[in-house]
Amino acid sequence: MQNYQSSRDAAKKWGVSERRINQYCSEGRIPGAQRFGKSWAIPVDAEKPGDPRRSRQRPESAPTQTAAGAVLDHANLMPLMNTAFTPGRCREAVEAMAAGPQRDIALAEYHYFSGRPEEAAKEVEPYLSSPDISARLSACLVYAYSNLSIGQIPRAKFALNELKSSLAAAGGQSPQFQAASAFIASTGAVLLHLPLPEEMPEASSFLPLLPPGLRAFALYVQAHYLYLKEEYAYSAGIVEAALAMDASRYPIPAIYLHLVAVMDYMSLKQPDRAKKHLLTAWGIARPDDLIEGFGEHHGLLGAMLEAVIKPKWPEDFKRIIDITYRFSSGWRRVHNPITGHDVADDLTTTEFAAAMLAARGWTNQEIAQHMNISAHTVKRYISTVPQKLGIHQRQELKKYMLK
């Protein structure tokens, strides 16, 4: 967990006035600084900001002009995702942000990640045509995912196409614009298990240009991509390395990194390690009710939610399952036609979870032990699923399951 110091302590440490520290924080020049009332909490490992007059480069948070004359303000690129807040103080972190696009988009992120897509879609809609590229890209990403969850598929497709168009237009723009476009476009494609756009650059070319919180989420996207390629150990290695460094400071990327680790370790048949990551993600998410990611990933988590969350937090589990049904219904209407992969849509979440494990080679007894149900119940599920899917052999399950 991130440790903080007061403005007074930071002023003594850096040899400046407390007033100057507050000015640094207000200008967004101390990454991870959080405002609580009239005071600032500053990460103990934060470095003293340099004098911008002595720098030949524009500060990372300052707006820049693109070749077409549009504004690129990094402060508006998924600002909540890029914020290091203490779990339980997410809403406070949003309210401490500068009024305008930054706070509005962060609030929409908060509503989306806490399972309120209707509110999120309304809040970002005014920014879909913003002259600020960062605000527009952020709005399109939140708008796409929110509209999937509320069944507004044409709107979701519109936003996803906007992301592709922005990436295609980024070639002649600044490296910062290219990095922002590549980050948002890859997030939009990989998390929906869609093909990457042809214009997508290598991750190594844009990762260094992203601020630390977004870099952490980009590593989650990369790990998720490797998971889809069935490179589970490689994916888990990226997650473990990212969490061992700066990523754990940023709650939203950290939640998603832990979730992809669950996916990897369940695929590697290491449920104890998967359970540890799930509980860590849950410990980060629950204080702020950031449960959306659990619903989005349900089918990939190998019945871990049924085994771990359902017994101890049954009401939260019900809400997660509601999110799962809502999100997956919209997701399939985009994913299946584009990819030709006919992911099953007429199974209950429990049937789907058992079938996922069976498709990965788990025996009925192993599934029963993991899900805390009887082998007879598992057998009944595994018998019902093929009937619903119109198949005859257990080996055929895989083509109807998520990767």
Side-chain angles (χ1 to χ4, degrees):
M1 183 178 294
Q2 176 65 46
N3 293 319
Y4 292 88
Q5 60 187 327
S6 67
S7 298
R8 180 176 297 177
D9 291 339
K12 291 180 180 179
K13 182 178 177 181
W14 294 341
V16 297
S17 67
E18 189 173 347
R19 181 178 179 182
R20 178 57 60 85
I21 295 295
N22 292 333
Q23 181 181 358
Y24 286 154
C25 293
S26 299
E27 293 173 351
R29 295 174 61 192
I30 303 180
Q34 301 295 322
R35 188 166 192 166
F36 301 105
K38 296 182 179 180
S39 302
W40 288 91
I42 299 162
V44 295
D45 57 354
E47 296 182 0
K48 178 182 177 181
D51 186 344
R53 295 171 298 180
R54 298 179 182 177
S55 175
R56 295 183 178 179
Q57 296 181 339
R58 187 181 297 266
E60 185 178 33
S61 61
T64 59
Q65 292 289 122
T66 69
V71 178
L72 180 69
D73 190 342
H74 293 84
N76 300 328
L77 188 63
M78 301 302 289
L80 184 60
M81 188 182 287
N82 191 44
T83 296
F85 58 87
T86 302
R89 294 181 172 177
C90 182
R91 188 59 186 262
E92 292 179 40
V94 172
E95 292 173 353
M97 293 180 182
Q102 184 184 36
R103 188 189 298 170
D104 293 344
I105 292 169
L107 183 60
E109 290 178 80
Y110 168 66
H111 284 146
Y112 177 76
F113 289 120
S114 59
R116 289 176 279 178
E118 295 88 353
E119 295 174 60
K122 290 179 182 178
E123 286 156 353
V124 295
E125 191 166 16
Y127 293 100
L128 292 175
S129 57
S130 172
D132 175 2
I133 300 299
S134 294
R136 186 163 79 230
L137 289 172
S138 301
C140 285
L141 184 63
V142 175
Y143 196 71
Y145 276 79
S146 297
N147 278 290
L148 281 179
S149 294
I150 58 181
Q152 296 290 342
I153 307 306
R155 294 179 182 180
K157 288 182 177 179
F158 160 78
L160 291 171
N161 286 332
E162 286 292 294
L163 297 181
K164 288 184 180 180
S165 298
S166 293
L167 180 61
Q173 303 290 345
S174 68
Q176 290 78 11
F177 181 21
Q178 294 177 44
S181 298
F183 166 68
I184 296 292
S186 62
T187 299
V190 172
L191 274 62
L192 296 179
H193 299 190
L194 300 175
L196 287 171
E198 294 181 3
E199 302 86 356
M200 183 63 62
E202 291 292 328
S204 59
S205 69
F206 66 84
L207 272 173
L209 297 175
L210 297 172
L214 301 189
R215 193 180 309 137
F217 198 87
L219 288 171
Y220 153 75
V221 174
Q222 181 70 7
H224 197 132
Y225 177 69
L226 291 169
Y227 166 86
L228 296 176
K229 295 174 66 177
E230 301 184 4
E231 297 182 28
Y232 307 125
Y234 187 9
S235 173
I238 287 180
V239 172
E240 300 288 8
L243 291 171
M245 295 185 288
D246 207 36
S248 59
R249 292 181 53 207
Y250 298 89
I252 291 174
I255 291 167
Y256 278 73
L257 282 162
H258 282 294
L259 290 175
V260 81
V262 176
M263 294 154 45
D264 290 327
Y265 288 126
M266 288 304 294
S267 299
L268 294 168
K269 297 190 76 170
Q270 298 180 32
D272 289 342
R273 297 186 77 171
K275 179 179 179 180
K276 181 179 179 181
H277 278 281
L278 183 72
L279 285 173
T280 303
W282 188 239
I284 299 169
R286 193 162 183 259
D288 294 297
D289 200 33
L290 302 175
I291 64 172
E292 178 70 28
F294 295 84
E296 292 173 359
H297 291 77
H298 172 273
L300 302 171
L301 298 175
M304 190 57 74
L305 295 177
E306 284 77 4
V308 177
I309 303 300
K310 183 178 181 180
K312 192 170 181 180
W313 298 279
E315 293 305 313
D316 288 326
F317 177 78
K318 289 179 183 178
R319 292 178 58 226
I320 291 171
I321 295 303
D322 286 343
I323 289 171
T324 299
Y325 279 124
R326 186 174 59 190
F327 180 84
S328 61
S329 175
W331 171 77
R332 288 185 181 92
R333 291 166 66 186
V334 171
H335 171 271
N336 288 3
I338 293 176
T339 65
H341 184 201
D342 192 21
V343 176
D345 62 358
D346 53 359
L347 306 180
T348 68
T349 53
T350 306
E351 289 171 342
F352 199 100
M356 276 289 291
L357 293 173
R360 289 172 173 169
W362 288 49
T363 67
N364 286 2
Q365 188 61 44
E366 288 172 329
I367 297 171
Q369 183 176 358
H370 173 61
M371 295 182 68
N372 298 315
I373 56 179
S374 69
H376 176 75
T377 301
V378 174
K379 184 177 180 181
R380 176 162 53 83
Y381 284 145
I382 302 303
S383 297
T384 301
V385 168
Q387 294 175 13
K388 288 187 174 183
L389 298 180
I391 60 178
H392 304 287
Q393 295 182 339
R394 188 178 180 123
Q395 291 80 359
E396 296 180 79
L397 281 174
K398 192 170 184 179
K399 68 180 181 180
Y400 290 94
M401 298 294 105
L402 294 168
K403 294 293 185 181

